[in-house]
Amino acid sequence: MPRYVDPEERVRDIVAASWQALSEGGLAELTLRKIAQRMGGSITLITHYFANREALLDAVLKYTLADADDIHEELDRIEDPWERLRVALEWFLPDTEETLTEERARVALLTHQGAEPVIRQHLERTEPAMRSVLRRGLDGLVPAGELDGTVDMVRVWVSGIALSVVEHPEIWTPERQHAALKRFLAMLSSAQLPAG
């Protein structure tokens, strides 16, 4: 009798292997055959769930948007506005092997957005989702008229630290990332953001 495999778990495993492939070799490593090899199986291991590379890439990219939905739910449960902002900003830090792999993959994909329409479409959906997380994090700390500008500033900070970690993971340890986050929050706090 064949062993039962949870389809959702298998898709998560395929997506994780795809993130790893993208982070190590860019889009050239994202083929159904190469992902199957990484997972120790035949190509049917992948084609059972994804008909082609575009479908696989679309699923990989959709996981980012699902993560944004999950963090929104978590932020909605936090009453203290500074704690909510800290959690929102912490979500952007590539401070684990998994999140660093995903960030490396994301950076690799950026170079292919003109060649692969699914990447461009995903990026057009991702940026508003990321800004929405920051807006929720800043809710109650910034007046409505200053919110867009503050989101811009904070978005640049999170993008900058993420890229710095990708470029120099040996310098930007998780401890250093969290220390930088603590300093950034202290700067925002000392700027005495007027409540909205």
Side-chain angles (χ1 to χ4, degrees), residues 23-157:
S23 77
E24 293 172 3
L27 201 55
E29 289 300 308
L30 189 72
T31 69
L32 302 183
R33 187 170 310 285
K34 287 182 179 182
I35 300 304
Q37 288 171 347
R38 280 179 176 272
M39 296 183 70
S42 72
I43 195 168
T44 57
L45 172 74
I46 310 301
T47 58
H48 181 76
Y49 299 95
F50 302 102
N52 54 41
R53 182 173 89 155
E54 184 174 317
L56 174 59
L57 183 57
D58 188 50
V60 167
L61 297 172
K62 283 181 179 174
Y63 266 76
T64 303
L65 294 173
D67 283 347
D69 290 341
D70 292 344
I71 191 65
H72 264 285
E73 290 176 16
E74 182 178 346
L75 294 176
D76 287 343
R77 292 189 296 268
I78 301 172
E79 291 184 26
D80 177 76
W82 286 104
E83 176 62 11
R84 188 172 47 247
L85 179 58
R86 184 196 63 75
V87 170
L89 296 178
E90 195 171 72
W91 178 73
F92 283 91
L93 297 180
D95 59 351
T96 66
E97 276 303 313
E98 180 183 353
T99 55
L100 179 55
T101 295
E102 290 174 7
E103 196 60 33
R104 283 182 178 138
R106 189 187 67 77
V107 170
L109 286 173
L110 289 173
T111 62
H112 298 285
Q113 61 184 310
E116 294 279 343
V118 69
I119 296 172
R120 169 84 339 279
Q121 292 164 3
H122 169 74
L123 293 174
E124 288 171 358
R125 293 188 317 252
T126 301
E127 184 59 19
M130 300 301 105
R131 291 179 66 85
S132 177
V133 170
L134 295 175
R135 281 179 167 280
R136 183 64 186 112
L138 289 163
D139 188 34
L141 294 172
V142 180
E146 295 179 26
L147 188 55
D148 286 339
T150 306
V151 168
D152 289 345
M153 177 192 68
V154 175
R155 182 70 172 119
V156 168
W157 186 86

